[in-house]
Amino acid sequence: MSSHTQSSSQPEVKSHMVAQSYNNKAASCISDGRNEHAIRYLAKAFQLTSHPAVGMGCRQNNFGGHSLQACLRYSRSSFSSQDLKRQLSSEKMESSEGFIHRVPLRISSHSIDVPLGSLFSFILTYNMALAHHLSAMEEKKENQRRRKLQKALKLYELSYRWHVQEEMNCLAFSMIIANNLSEIHRVAKNERKRQMCLQNLLSTMMYVHMVDYGEVGEMDGFVQNTSPLILKGQCAGAA
């Protein structure tokens, strides 16, 4: 490798590592409830991803074992068992509220210097959606709340399209995104779209149950949100 190539690659590698570091700082902020700080860190990471080096032309969704599923597994493992239970608990919700999946995506220290390409763009987009969603739920000003929910909605939908187009094949994330979208539509009082999301969630949950998919720690919360549909189906079957 020429000295010119080596010197030109150094800023690229540094931009990549700094962007991933910003994402992990944002994930820590989301976990601590500092969602506005998380949004600022993610905005900085997005600015760095506009550098062509950060994507490095990768369109794969698995990077030496660093698939979306592996990323989600690592993100869960970064919590203590007690903190993870708190993040995934539906018991703390009031009866008028539903379950929101609150675990942000982190990048393992083992892959902090590995170009993740489209997977990293997905991670940033999902985390930005989650940060806006959780910030909106704490917002007192109605117009600001609506603005943040609309932003979260668009980013979740973009994440879902990306998930399908890139063939990431992560059932857990199909359920996570459908669940969180249903909660935004619930708050926005868009019952038709909420029901569509919940039907999608329930269908995936039934498939996951049939294939004995054991990686989903959020199932209690998903069951809480879809319980009206489950009960409706049971009543219809008994009639």
Side-chain angles (χ1 to χ4, degrees):
M1 181 182 293
S2 69
S3 59
H4 173 73
T5 303
Q6 287 179 328
S7 61
S8 64
S9 66
Q10 290 304 312
E12 298 175 354
V13 173
K14 183 177 180 181
S15 294
H16 174 76
M17 295 179 66
V18 171
Q20 294 197 15
S21 175
Y22 279 143
N23 175 78
N24 284 2
K25 288 179 179 179
S28 295
C29 289
I30 292 172
S31 301
D32 295 339
R34 295 178 291 131
N35 298 301
E36 292 302 318
H37 285 81
I39 290 170
R40 288 194 285 272
Y41 277 126
L42 290 167
K44 291 179 179 180
F46 270 116
Q47 288 177 347
L48 288 171
T49 59
S50 64
H51 193 292
V54 177
M56 295 187 181
C58 296
R59 287 187 58 81
Q60 300 164 283
N61 56 63
N62 190 304
F63 306 85
H66 298 291
S67 63
L68 177 56
Q69 186 64 50
C71 180
L72 180 57
R73 193 179 303 118
Y74 173 76
S75 300
R76 289 172 177 149
S77 71
S78 64
F79 291 94
S80 67
S81 58
Q82 183 176 1
D83 285 343
L84 181 61
K85 184 177 181 180
R86 177 177 58 83
Q87 290 289 331
L88 298 178
S89 174
S90 59
E91 294 177 359
K92 63 183 178 182
M93 296 293 183
E94 297 177 4
S95 59
S96 62
E97 296 181 328
F99 168 75
I100 300 172
H101 182 276
R102 298 166 181 262
V103 177
L105 291 176
R106 300 171 189 263
I107 297 165
S108 166
S109 58
H110 297 298
S111 57
I112 204 73
D113 58 347
V114 176
L116 299 180
S118 58
L119 178 60
F120 183 52
S121 297
F122 175 90
I123 290 169
L124 288 180
T125 303
Y126 174 78
N127 281 348
M128 185 69 92
L130 180 61
H132 276 85
H133 189 176
L134 297 179
S135 179
M137 300 309 292
E138 298 172 351
E139 181 61 59
K140 303 301 182 184
K141 297 180 181 178
E142 186 60 29
N143 62 332
Q144 291 294 320
R145 189 183 201 198
R146 285 198 302 267
R147 182 184 64 80
K148 290 177 181 178
L149 283 174
Q150 188 62 28
K151 180 78 170 179
L153 176 66
K154 290 180 178 178
L155 289 168
Y156 278 137
E157 289 175 342
L158 178 58
S159 297
Y160 184 76
R161 288 197 298 271
W162 217 326
H163 177 263
V164 173
Q165 291 169 3
E166 295 290 323
E167 298 180 350
M168 293 180 179
N169 300 321
C170 181
L171 289 174
F173 246 91
S174 295
M175 291 188 288
I176 288 167
I177 294 177
N179 178 83
N180 285 9
L181 278 172
S182 75
E183 277 303 291
I184 290 181
H185 290 308
R186 179 188 64 78
V187 174
K189 296 181 171 54
N190 191 332
E191 189 60 23
R192 183 181 67 84
K193 289 189 175 181
R194 174 174 177 259
Q195 289 296 321
M196 288 174 60
C197 291
L198 290 176
Q199 287 285 1
N200 187 0
L201 173 58
L202 182 58
S203 297
T204 310
M205 286 169 60
M206 293 173 67
Y207 176 75
V208 164
H209 177 70
M210 287 190 295
V211 299
D212 193 26
Y213 190 86
E215 296 265 354
V216 185
E218 306 85 358
M219 198 61 78
D220 287 348
F222 294 158
V223 169
Q224 173 187 303
N225 283 358
T226 57
S227 57
L229 293 179
I230 296 171
L231 293 173
K232 182 179 179 181
Q234 290 176 341
C235 292

